[in-house]
């Protein structure tokens, strides 16, 4: 049970949260959030980030934060090596980073930010990223994730069913239309991108699931919860010692209207829960972990959260207005940040779509949009 004094929870925090040591190799015995005081006293801005960009989990909004951070500081982003007719923002939807699917490191540089779509693999990520890299993931409430996947990707295994309500039919007979071991966008997709072993997909063994979650617990310092996006970003800001301006955002790719063939019946959520048990285990594990991380921060966390939300509302209002030359939004210094200005250029980058943003960074880093080398 969590205690009121965050310091009294240190044994629990040290058990749940591990990190990479800032000045050397990985140290699985050191906690990211071992104490509020230690975290807030950290002065070094963390610049080496591996973000697992999970499909249909508000990951474009989160990615935009990392791309802006990289652009401002001229950090090298790991970019896909793809022909011009493929998506220039996707390293791979089916495998992890390899020498063949990413652009090579320019001479005299090292990879610093990884935030394009790729399946997680600890060894592959560590092979290309610096030793002090912070791993950050993102997950979404599984049924909401399922709805978004249906709406955007329109997977064939569901919509090829010749019936007026294909989603409910699919959920009633999931294994008839989708093998447990066949990877797709409606078979525990979040767990797939977190690289759950294939045998767990087949057996759904609870011990195996728990063992793999403990492995992820050691390897990811933070997993953003979409339903607690602002809270997750405040934790991230503190973990990385970034500024408030660095985590400002405007929602991207938010599409509320559902495709006309997406309909549900009572009981569909429970059916999906049985089918997507890996995704639910993943989400519940990191949702609970986030609560402990927040509790460890003490009361100042909620003060900063309220400040951040009010500021973000004002920034959105400012960004919605037509550009006026040389007019900026001034943010006074606070307990959480030095004073800074938000210009219309900042708004443009917060609103910048993923593919144009990746193309701009590719041009900055390599001098071309498409792979021609």
């Amino acid at each position: 049970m969590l205690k009121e004094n965050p310091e009294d929870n240190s044994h629990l925090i040290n058990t749940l949260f591990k990190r990479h040591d800032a000045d050397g190799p990985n140290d699985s015995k050191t906690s990211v959030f071992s104490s509020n005081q230690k975290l807030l006293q950290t002065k070094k801005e963390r610049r080496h980030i591996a973000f697992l960009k999970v499909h249909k989990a508000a990951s474009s909004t989160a990615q935009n934060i990392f791309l802006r951070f990289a652009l401002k500081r001229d950090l090298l982003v790991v970019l896909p090596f793809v022909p011009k007719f493929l998506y220039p923002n996707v390293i791979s939807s089916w495998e992890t980073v390899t020498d063949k699917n990413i652009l090579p490191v320019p001479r005299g540089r090292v990879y610093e930010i990884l935030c394009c779509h790729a399946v997680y693999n600890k060894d592959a990520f560590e092979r290309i990223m610096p030793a002090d890299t912070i791993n950050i993931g993102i997950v979404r409430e599984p049924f909401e994730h399922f709805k978004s996947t249906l709406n955007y990707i329109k997977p064939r295994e569901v919509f090829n069913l010749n019936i007026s309500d294909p989603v409910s039919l699919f959920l009633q007979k999931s294994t008839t239309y989708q093998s447990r071991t066949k990877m797709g966008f409606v078979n525990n997709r979040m767990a797939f991108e977190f690289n759950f072993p294939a045998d767990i997909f087949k057996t759904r063994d609870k011990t195996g699931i728990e063992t793999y979650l403990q492995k992820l617990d050691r390897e990811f310092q933070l997993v953003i919860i979409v339903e607690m996006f602002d809270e997750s970003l405040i934790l991230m800001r503190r973990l990385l010692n970034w500024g408030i301006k660095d985590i400002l955002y405007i929602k991207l790719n938010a599409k509320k209207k559902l495709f006309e063939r997406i309909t549900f019946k009572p009981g569909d959520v429970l059916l999906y829960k049985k089918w997507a048990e890996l995704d639910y285990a993943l989400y519940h594990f990191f949702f609970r972990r986030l609560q402990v991380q927040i509790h460890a921060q003490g009361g100042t966390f909620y003060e900063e959260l309220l400040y951040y939300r009010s500021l973000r509302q004002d920034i959105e209002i400012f960004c919605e207005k037509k550009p006026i030359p040389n007019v900026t939004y001034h943010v006074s210094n606070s307990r959480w940040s030095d004073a800074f200005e938000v210009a219309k250029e900042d708004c443009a980058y917060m609103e910048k779509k993923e593919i144009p943003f990746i193309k701009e960074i590719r041009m900055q880093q390599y001098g071309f949009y498409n792979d021609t080398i």
Side-chain angles (χ1 to χ4, degrees), residues 159-326:
F159 292 107
N160 278 359
L161 300 177
N162 189 21
I163 190 172
S164 60
D165 55 348
V167 180
S168 291
L169 178 60
F170 174 84
L171 292 175
Q172 290 166 19
K173 301 179 180 180
S174 299
T175 54
T176 301
Y177 305 113
Q178 174 79 66
S179 167
R180 282 189 168 195
T181 57
K182 183 178 180 180
M183 297 303 101
F185 280 99
V186 289
N187 182 8
N188 292 273
R189 180 69 198 191
M190 292 190 292
F192 171 74
E193 296 192 25
F194 272 87
N195 201 24
F196 272 62
D199 65 301
I200 295 180
F201 271 84
K202 182 178 181 179
T203 65
R204 310 295 168 99
D205 175 65
K206 294 189 183 303
T207 300
I209 292 172
E210 180 61 27
T211 298
Y212 192 71
L213 287 172
Q214 293 298 331
K215 177 179 183 293
L216 293 177
D217 180 34
R218 295 188 295 270
E219 295 169 6
F220 280 83
Q221 289 69 56
L222 177 68
V223 173
I224 296 168
I225 303 295
V226 172
E227 289 70 27
M228 300 184 69
F229 197 68
D230 289 353
E231 291 89 337
S232 300
L233 291 184
I234 295 299
L235 279 169
M236 187 178 82
R237 188 201 72 76
R238 292 179 170 208
L239 168 63
L240 303 178
N241 198 40
W242 286 8
I244 285 285
K245 184 177 181 180
D246 295 320
I247 61 168
L248 292 174
Y249 70 92
I250 293 173
K251 288 183 181 179
L252 299 175
N253 295 345
K255 184 179 180 182
K256 295 183 178 180
K257 186 177 180 180
L258 291 177
F259 176 52
E260 59 184 9
R261 293 189 70 201
I262 300 176
T263 59
F264 300 100
K265 294 179 179 178
D268 281 353
V269 175
L270 292 179
L271 289 173
Y272 185 68
K273 210 169 182 181
K274 292 178 181 179
W275 168 248
E277 52 194 312
L278 303 186
D279 275 1
Y280 274 95
L282 176 70
Y283 180 78
H284 289 166
F285 182 89
F286 283 111
F287 185 92
R288 289 191 295 267
R289 194 179 85 159
L290 188 72
Q291 312 310 309
V292 181
Q293 287 178 311
I294 290 173
H295 188 87
Q297 296 299 296
T300 62
F301 176 86
Y302 293 100
E303 294 174 24
E304 181 176 351
L305 178 63
L306 292 173
Y307 167 82
Y308 172 70
R309 283 180 169 165
S310 296
L311 174 61
R312 230 182 51 75
Q313 287 174 322
D314 260 348
I315 295 300
E316 284 190 345
I317 292 171
F318 171 75
C319 288
E320 285 173 359
K321 293 188 174 182
K322 292 181 179 180
I324 302 175
N326 303 320

Side-chain angles (χ1 to χ4, degrees), residues 94-156:
W94 306 104
E95 62 180 2
T96 191
V97 290
T98 69
D99 291 336
K100 295 182 180 179
N101 61 21
I102 59 175
L103 289 172
V105 183
R107 183 174 298 177
R109 301 290 301 270
V110 296
Y111 294 125
E112 292 162 296
I113 300 288
L114 169 61
C115 63
C116 291
H117 284 299
V119 176
Y120 174 65
N121 180 282
K122 178 178 181 292
D123 293 338
F125 277 35
E126 289 183 348
R127 182 178 59 81
I128 67 168
M129 298 298 293
D132 65 345
T133 295
I134 296 288
N135 287 338
I136 297 175
I138 190 167
V139 291
R140 184 178 187 178
E141 195 282 320
F143 196 73
E144 291 299 314
H145 180 264
F146 178 55
K147 288 196 295 185
S148 183
T149 299
L150 294 173
N151 208 31
Y152 280 83
I153 297 175
K154 299 178 178 60
R156 288 178 295 177

Side-chain angles (χ1 to χ4, degrees), residues 81-82 84 103 362 366-373:
F81 190 108
V82 292
K84 62 182 179 181
L103 289 172
R362 182 184 300 242
Y366 294 95
F368 57 85
Y369 284 142
N370 298 319
D371 295 329
T372 58
I373 59 175

Side-chain angles (χ1 to χ4, degrees), residues 61 63-73 244-250 346 348-351 357 361:
T61 301
Q63 181 198 49
N64 179 273
I65 293 172
F66 296 114
L67 292 178
R68 290 186 348 247
F69 185 84
L71 187 68
K72 182 178 179 181
R73 292 159 178 80
I244 285 285
K245 184 177 181 180
D246 295 320
I247 61 168
L248 292 174
Y249 70 92
I250 293 173
D346 295 312
Y349 276 108
M350 282 189 276
E351 295 169 344
F357 208 156
I361 287 181

